[in-house]
Every structure is written in structure tokens, then in C-alpha cells.
Amino acid sequence: MSSLISRAVLVLGGARSGKSRFAEELCGQSGLERHYVATGRAWDDEMRDRIAQHRLDRGDGWMTHEEPVQLADILRRIDAPDRVVLVDCLTLWVTNLMLDEADIPARCAELTALLPTLSARVVFVSNEVGLGIVPENRMARDFRDHAGRLHQMVAAVAAEVYFVAAGLPLKMKG
């Protein structure tokens, strides 16, 4: 893991905690060209509706990139010093990697090593999944473990880390 600090920001929180809205506000305050990297896949009508609602909620002024798996690649392609990139979300990315049977530790290491080299400010949104009970099955435990390790890795190189609950951000780092 890199010991260099990046311009990255990590925003963690539970479901419907307000983390995406808070991350969008951080990006809007930057005055930079805004890019949105969506990692979700529309597997069903409900997910398609959620994606459509997110687009409406964001409004105009965002360049949207849909990339469920090749996160490091898209960040390299859209990197520029006059941009802020919102990645929503890391836990969906982990889910996609698991479904694709990817080498998750390697992909997480690739992502976190990339962050200090980027000139754009990158704001990551992710679900904190480690606060509940131990999941009952192996796949769910693996998911929790992958997400928790990734959060630690990104937090270690991020300039700022926030935890959002009930719409209220708590600054943990930076």
C-alpha cells in the first residue's frame, strides 16, 4: 500500500444515510468540471429505476461514465487537474468484482496505488457494512471482508474521510 496521500475523499455511511448527497455537495463546492462514475449494474427494473432517480437527483452539470468493473482504467482515462470525479459506489464495484470472480485484493491494490498519481480530486462513496452482525453465509462474509479491507486501503491514502449518518457528516480524517 502506498504511503503517499492523494487528493481522494472517502465518504462512508449506511443505506439511505445521505452519503451520496453529501458527496455530491462536496463535488459541487469544488468549482471543478464534474464527472460521475457509476459502478452499479441495472440487473432488474428496480435497479433501473434507482439509477434513473439518481440521475434526476444529480441534475445537469455532470458527465456520467458507467463502469461497473474497470474502475482504475476509467479514472486514468478521465483524469485531469480541472476535474472532480464522484465514484458511486465502491461496494457495488466490489459486488461486481465478486460476480466476475476477479482477483479482488489485486484490483483494490491497483486502485489505491493509482490514487496518489491522479491529478483530479476523486470522491468515493461506499456503504459501511461492518457495523452489523456477522453475516450467516460465506459469500456475505467475503463481501463484508473485501469491502472493509478496501475501505481501510482507500482511507489510508485519502486526504479526507467522512462518515455520514442521518444526513450528518462526521469528518474522520483531513
Side-chain angles (χ1 to χ4, degrees), residues 18-106:
K19 62 191 174 296
S20 292
R21 181 185 44 76
F22 175 70
E24 290 167 13
E25 289 172 5
L26 285 176
C27 293
Q29 295 168 358
S30 71
L32 301 172
E33 180 181 297
R34 295 180 297 170
H35 288 253
Y36 185 94
V37 176
T39 61
R41 288 178 168 160
W43 295 107
D44 56 27
D45 288 341
E46 188 268 341
M47 191 61 172
R48 277 187 277 285
D49 290 345
R50 282 180 178 263
I51 290 169
Q53 188 60 52
H54 261 274
R55 283 188 180 140
L56 280 175
D57 292 345
R58 264 194 319 276
D60 296 332
W62 292 87
M63 172 85 60
T64 300
H65 311 270
E66 295 182 5
E67 182 47 66
V69 177
Q70 302 300 331
L71 186 52
D73 291 346
I74 190 70
L75 291 175
R76 280 186 200 96
R77 280 198 307 274
I78 64 175
D79 184 40
D82 63 338
R83 294 180 176 168
V84 61
V85 179
L86 175 55
V87 177
D88 199 350
C89 80
L90 288 176
T91 42
L92 285 175
W93 180 61
V94 168
T95 299
N96 294 334
L97 293 176
M98 288 180 72
L99 292 173
D100 288 358
E101 299 182 1
D103 182 344
I104 297 170

